[in-house]
């Protein structure tokens, strides 16, 4: 049966008709057409579907759209400035070559932004632990770790 | 995922009234949503506890820490009260899965689910917790009945879990590198005179290790447990670790947990 869900996505209020069993990621990708949020595993392992909900990184393949009722959701599309200026974390991924194919990147960036809010100057060990829920099949993680460290410091400096 | 009816009750009483037939409670969904996707669960109704305000709190009077069923793992990991009264419990919550899972997964969901490799059940047993539900109270020692089985009756809703603060404690887990669940996790809690040792991941369900408890009550030191051999009978054996290896790990993790508790 169709039900209504209302939430904020990237600062805009949206209301959508969904099935009760619709996943948050399906609402984001297929109805709102925000395809920057990726589905890698669909089993809560890879983190490609990570979005921010009320400021916390969550896996949007592992929750119902209905669980986001009234929530403030941010996807990778909402991270840069409207004029296209990259978010400091995105800029750091670019600068440090923190991606190859780019499939994992939106989830990496969304998790990293939430992490960096709590860790303005993280150690390599802290960053690696924070990445437990994000898999990358290309980079070997080294440049992602560098990018997140630099991005976190840039975020702290721009405050 | 099969279709279901979704409900968003605003109180535990309303939620209880909806628990009929094939209805299921939804907490963080970190286990249940995947189970439904695989069609291992196909509930007729989903009762979302996420908007019931009084289920989410954390309270501490220094002696007892009471965690609401809907408190997220991240809330417990970062709680100043929990860190102060039972640092080992905050550390345990911080070890569950990954940070995205911790943002959603809940104490009540983990305990109700009783995954043989879950972390919270070890804390419940070692810290002699009381599980409060809409129907009454359960003692830790009588709560975990077997693999994915608890003393909860159909439709019974966990509202909070009260953990007793020990003199000192530590939880150490040997992680499965892929899933982060415990291959073996040991929670050691010294209450001064009595010691409780709970083991998760090793068997079909969390259990206490009586020989270690006795030895540690006599002398709370790593060497008290270092030579205690755990029988492999009935322990889990899978692609990740044999029963023999798990039995060995119980002793190793117990010794390390005592070392950590003494630090
Ligand atoms: C990638 C990944 C890694 C993980 N790693 C770990 C780990 O290392 N250690 C660990 O312990 N866990 C781990 N988990 C599991 C995680 O902790 C789950 O959050 C937890 O097991 C279930 O909690 P939930 O709130 O998500 O419950 P849900 O999935 O919503 O529910 C689980 C079950 O409990 C029932 N239930 C929920 N709330 C109540 C209640 N209040 N009263 C009665 N019944 C209730 C539901 O009906 C359902 O059957 C992991 C999960 C994932 C996806
Ligand atoms: S698609 Fe959600 S965790 Fe992999
Ligand atoms: S850059 Fe290809 S998966 Fe990470």
């Amino acid at each position: 049966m169709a039900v209504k869900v209302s939430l904020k996505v990237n600062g805009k209020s949206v209301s959508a008709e969904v099935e009760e069993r619709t996943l948050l990621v399906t609402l984001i990708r297929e109805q709102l057409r925000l395809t920057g949020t990726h589905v890698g595993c669909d089993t809560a392992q890879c983190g490609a579907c990570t979005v921010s909900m009320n400021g916390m990184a969550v896996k949007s393949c592992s929750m119902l759209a209905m669980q986001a009722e009234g929530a403030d959701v941010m996807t990778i599309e909402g991270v840069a400035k409207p004029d296209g200026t990259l978010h400091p974390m995105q800029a750091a991924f670019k600068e440090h070559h923190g991606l190859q194919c780019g499939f994992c990147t939106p989830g990496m960036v969304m998790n990293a932004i939430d992490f960096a809010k709590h860790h303005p100057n993280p150690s390599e060990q802290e960053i690696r632990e924070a990445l437990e829920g994000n898999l990358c099949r290309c980079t070997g993680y080294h440049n992602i770790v560098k990018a997140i460290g630099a991005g976190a410091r840039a975020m702290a400096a721009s405050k | 995922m099969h279709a279901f009816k979704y409900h968003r009750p605003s109180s535990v009483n309303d939620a209880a009234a909806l628990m009929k037939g094939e209805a299921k409670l939804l907490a963080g969904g970190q286990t249940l949503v995947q189970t439904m996707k695989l069609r291992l669960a196909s509930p007729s109704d989903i009762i979302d506890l996420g908007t019931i305000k009084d289920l989410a709190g954390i309270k501490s009077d220094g002696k007892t820490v009471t965690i609401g069923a809907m408190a997220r793992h991240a809330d417990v990991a970062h709680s100043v009260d929990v860190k102060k009264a039972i640092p080992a419990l905050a550390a345990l919550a911080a070890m569950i899965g990954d940070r995205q899972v911790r943002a959603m997964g809940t104490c009540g969901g983990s305990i109700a689910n009783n995954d043989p490799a879950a972390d919270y059940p070890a804390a419940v047993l070692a810290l002699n917790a009381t599980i409060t539900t809409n129907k009454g109270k359960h003692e830790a020692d009588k709560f975990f009945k077997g693999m994915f089985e608890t003393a909860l009756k159909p439709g019974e809703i966990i509202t909070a879990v009260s953990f007793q603060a020990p003199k000192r404690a530590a939880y150490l887990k040997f992680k499965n590198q892929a899933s982060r669940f415990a291959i073996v996790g040991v929670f050691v809690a010294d209450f001064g005179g009595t010691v409780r040792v709970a083991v998760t991941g090793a068997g079909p369900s969390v259990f206490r290790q009586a020989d270690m408890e006795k030895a540690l009550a006599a002398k709370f030191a790593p060497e008290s447990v270092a030579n205690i051999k755990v029988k492999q009978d009935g322990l889990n054996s899978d692609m990740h670790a044999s029963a023999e290896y798990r039995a060995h790990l119980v002793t190793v993790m117990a010794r390390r947990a005592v070392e950590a508790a003494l630090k």
Side-chain angles (χ1 to χ4, degrees), chain A residues 44-109:
Chain A
Q45 307 297 320
C46 76
C49 64
T50 300
V51 300
S52 156
M53 184 169 86
N54 300 327
M56 289 180 88
V58 297
K59 293 175 179 174
S60 62
C61 78
S62 298
M63 54 182 290
L64 304 174
M66 296 302 277
Q67 285 177 276
E69 171 73 26
D72 198 342
V73 171
M74 168 105 77
T75 70
I76 191 70
E77 287 89 346
V79 162
K81 291 224 180 88
D83 70 2
T85 309
L86 294 181
H87 183 281
M89 189 59 76
Q90 290 175 305
F93 268 72
K94 188 176 169 198
E95 169 72 21
H96 293 272
H97 199 65
L99 60 149
Q100 288 180 21
C101 80
F103 191 85
C104 69
T105 315
M108 290 282 179
V109 170

Side-chain angles (χ1 to χ4, degrees), chain B residues 3-243:
Chain B
F4 53 79
K5 259 205 160 123
Y6 174 89
H7 308 267
R8 196 179 283 135
S10 50
S11 70
V12 174
N13 279 344
D14 291 352
L18 291 160
M19 285 302 290
K20 291 186 203 125
E22 298 296 304
K24 241 183 178 321
L25 300 166
L26 175 69
Q30 297 304 288
T31 296
L32 184 55
V33 170
Q34 296 303 335
T35 318
M36 291 196 297
K37 282 197 210 170
L38 294 167
R39 299 189 172 178
L40 294 172
S42 297
S44 58
D45 296 76
I46 280 291
I47 322 298
D48 189 349
L49 300 175
T51 45
I52 305 179
K53 290 251 155 34
D54 32 325
L55 287 183
I58 296 173
K59 276 182 293 205
S60 166
D61 63 7
K63 288 197 193 102
T64 308
V65 172
T66 300
I67 297 185
M70 285 302 292
R72 314 282 172 176
H73 306 326
D75 300 336
V76 176
H78 297 138
S79 160
V80 176
D81 287 340
V82 180
K83 280 189 193 164
K84 202 166 141 213
I86 319 180
L89 183 59
L92 173 143
M95 266 184 245
I96 297 175
D98 53 60
R99 52 196 311 283
Q100 292 99 315
V101 167
R102 291 193 292 273
M104 290 296 287
T106 67
C107 175
S110 176
I111 288 164
N113 197 46
N114 193 22
D115 188 298
D119 298 308
Y120 259 117
V124 169
L125 210 49
L127 299 174
N128 200 12
T130 304
I131 295 122
T132 306
T133 75
N134 63 325
K135 302 240 168 89
K137 290 186 191 298
H138 296 273
E139 290 170 36
D141 283 323
K142 293 184 185 152
F143 186 74
F144 301 108
K145 296 288 189 194
M147 197 181 274
F148 297 108
E149 265 182 65
T150 66
L152 292 172
K153 296 264 164 10
E156 189 168 357
I157 304 172
I158 298 176
T159 53
V161 186
S162 303
F163 298 86
Q164 293 180 20
K167 224 170 90 189
R168 54 198 164 188
Y171 174 67
L172 252 80
K173 87 164 152 172
F174 193 86
K175 284 183 191 177
N176 175 326
Q177 284 304 312
S179 77
R180 314 291 170 201
F181 275 92
I183 288 184
V184 168
V186 179
F187 202 124
V188 173
D190 179 9
F191 288 92
T194 53
V195 175
R196 293 171 69 101
V197 177
V199 180
T200 189
S205 176
V206 64
F207 61 87
R208 285 172 65 188
Q209 222 300 337
D211 296 342
M212 291 182 178
E213 293 185 349
K214 226 193 279 159
L216 289 169
K219 186 174 181 218
F220 194 81
E223 61 270 20
S224 301
V225 292
N227 295 315
I228 294 181
K229 292 252 181 304
V230 174
K231 287 210 192 78
Q232 67 180 69
D233 308 346
L235 297 192
N236 302 333
S237 194
D238 53 32
M239 64 187 282
H240 306 296
S242 64

